[in-house]
């Protein structure tokens, strides 16, 4: 079974600063995906960024980027030029790729990091 | 395009009552997932379907929980009888469920149903 660990329950930074959220995972699979989901106070789960394990290049989406270290099983999220609207819970999640065999699979989530952006 | 639709958004009920949560996946998606979020246990997978067939229900907490997917555009999660410890946010998510481009394996979530059992 896969496990996902987020060691920072809460972080607080000033607006416009850069912040990095940590995530480590454990798996014996070779083909998989890693995700960061954002959950604002509305409770909606919003996909922030996705990383395919077979890709060496780190994924980026505007102000969001990841540092994917496959050998170390580490997957951190960097938010640049943080904004007040970035205040939310952030969840790291793991999913086996269907290329591993079988059909779709569920997500395994970490416990989350509560990020607060201070004005 | 409409995203995943869940109803009701909020449900307050009394212990012992039957509760039915509903989900409409994104059109064309073949896989549907039910998750539960609580403070104690975080986000956990309850059950998922591929092509309307339940694949893995090992996350369903006990026999009081049941889920169905009678067709490709509708699923229900039922709790009977409900208990206060069932209070949580229940999410439905869907994906294309095919081994293909990453965007087809990515799950997209509905807004959730916040359940309170008194």
């Amino acid at each position: 079974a896969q496990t996902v660990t987020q060691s920072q329950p809460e972080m607080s930074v000033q607006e416009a600063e850069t912040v990095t959220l940590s995530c480590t995972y454990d798996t014996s699979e070779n083909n998989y995906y890693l995700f960061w989901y954002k959950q604002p106070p509305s409770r909606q789960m919003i996909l922030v960024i996705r990383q395919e394990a077979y890709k060496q290049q780190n994924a980026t989406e505007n102000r969001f980027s990841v540092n994917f270290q496959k050998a170390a099983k580490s997957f951190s999220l960097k938010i640049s030029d943080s904004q007040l609207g970035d205040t939310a819970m952030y969840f790291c999640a793991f999913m086996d790729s269907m290329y591993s065999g079988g059909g779709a699979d569920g997500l395994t989530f970490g416990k989350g990091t509560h990020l607060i952006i201070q004005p | 395009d409409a995203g995943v639709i869940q109803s009701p958004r909020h449900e307050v009920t009394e212990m012992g009552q039957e509760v039915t949560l509903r989900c409409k996946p994104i059109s064309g998606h073949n896989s549907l997932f039910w998750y539960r979020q609580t403070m104690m246990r975080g986000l956990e997978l309850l059950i998922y379907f591929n092509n309307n067939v339940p694949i893995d229900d090992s996350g369903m907490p006990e026999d009081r929980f049941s889920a169905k997917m009678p067709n490709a555009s509708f699923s229900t999660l039922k709790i009977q009888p409900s208990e206060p410890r069932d209070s949580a946010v229940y999410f439905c998510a869907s994906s294309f469920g095919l081994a293909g481009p990453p965007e087809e394996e990515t799950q997209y979530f509905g807004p959730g149903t916040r359940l309170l059992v008194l």
Side-chain angles (χ1 to χ4, degrees):
Chain A
Q2 290 82 16
T3 59
V4 177
T5 303
Q6 293 180 250
S7 58
Q8 305 150 311
E10 185 171 288
M11 298 185 70
S12 180
V13 299
Q14 296 294 123
E15 192 177 7
E17 289 183 347
T18 295
V19 59
T20 299
L21 309 183
S22 301
C23 173
T24 59
Y25 61 96
D26 190 24
T27 184
S28 58
E29 299 292 338
N30 192 46
N31 291 318
Y32 53 87
Y33 294 101
L34 294 162
F35 304 87
W36 281 97
Y37 283 88
K38 170 185 178 181
Q39 187 178 44
S42 66
R43 296 274 187 178
Q44 176 77 48
M45 294 291 288
I46 302 166
L47 177 66
V48 175
I49 200 164
R50 175 186 60 227
Q51 176 75 44
E52 297 90 64
Y54 60 83
K55 283 189 175 179
Q56 291 188 338
Q57 184 175 9
N58 289 322
T60 63
E61 289 287 344
N62 301 311
R63 297 183 295 108
F64 299 87
S65 61
V66 299
N67 183 3
F68 173 49
Q69 302 289 328
K70 190 173 184 180
K73 296 180 181 175
S74 170
F75 182 61
S76 61
L77 174 70
K78 185 172 82 170
I79 306 174
S80 303
D81 186 26
S82 57
Q83 301 174 359
L84 297 179
D86 295 333
T87 293
M89 285 291 293
Y90 287 81
F91 293 94
C92 178
F94 172 100
M95 187 182 76
D96 271 338
S97 168
M98 280 174 268
Y99 286 107
S100 297
D105 204 359
L107 290 159
T108 300
F109 286 92
K111 294 295 187 185
T113 296
H114 184 207
L115 176 64
I116 301 169
I117 308 298
Q118 304 277 7
Chain B
D1 289 338
V4 176
I5 299 172
Q6 290 186 246
S7 65
R9 295 292 306 276
H10 302 274
E11 177 82 22
V12 180
T13 190
E14 292 189 347
M15 183 174 63
Q17 297 297 306
E18 178 179 292
V19 175
T20 299
L21 311 182
R22 297 172 176 80
C23 176
K24 176 179 170 57
I26 294 172
S27 178
H29 281 191
N30 300 304
S31 293
L32 183 140
F33 306 80
W34 283 100
Y35 293 88
R36 179 172 68 175
Q37 184 178 29
T38 61
M39 289 295 293
M40 291 295 293
R41 300 176 66 89
L43 279 152
E44 51 185 347
L45 177 69
L46 299 177
I47 185 172
Y48 71 91
F49 297 83
N50 278 345
N51 296 316
N52 312 337
V53 176
I55 302 300
D56 183 358
D57 65 354
S58 60
M60 296 285 264
E62 48 197 275
D63 292 345
R64 297 183 298 105
F65 285 69
S66 63
K68 294 181 179 180
M69 192 164 186
N71 57 63
S73 59
F74 184 66
S75 176
T76 60
L77 178 67
K78 186 175 294 187
I79 308 172
Q80 167 63 20
S82 58
E83 296 183 2
R85 60 193 168 123
D86 302 332
S87 298
V89 180
Y90 291 82
F91 287 101
C92 176
S94 70
S95 72
F96 280 104
L98 300 171
E103 53 270 22
E104 292 190 357
E105 297 197 46
T106 298
Q107 295 178 29
Y108 296 91
F109 282 73
T113 294
R114 184 176 295 192
L115 173 64
L116 178 61
V117 183
L118 301 174

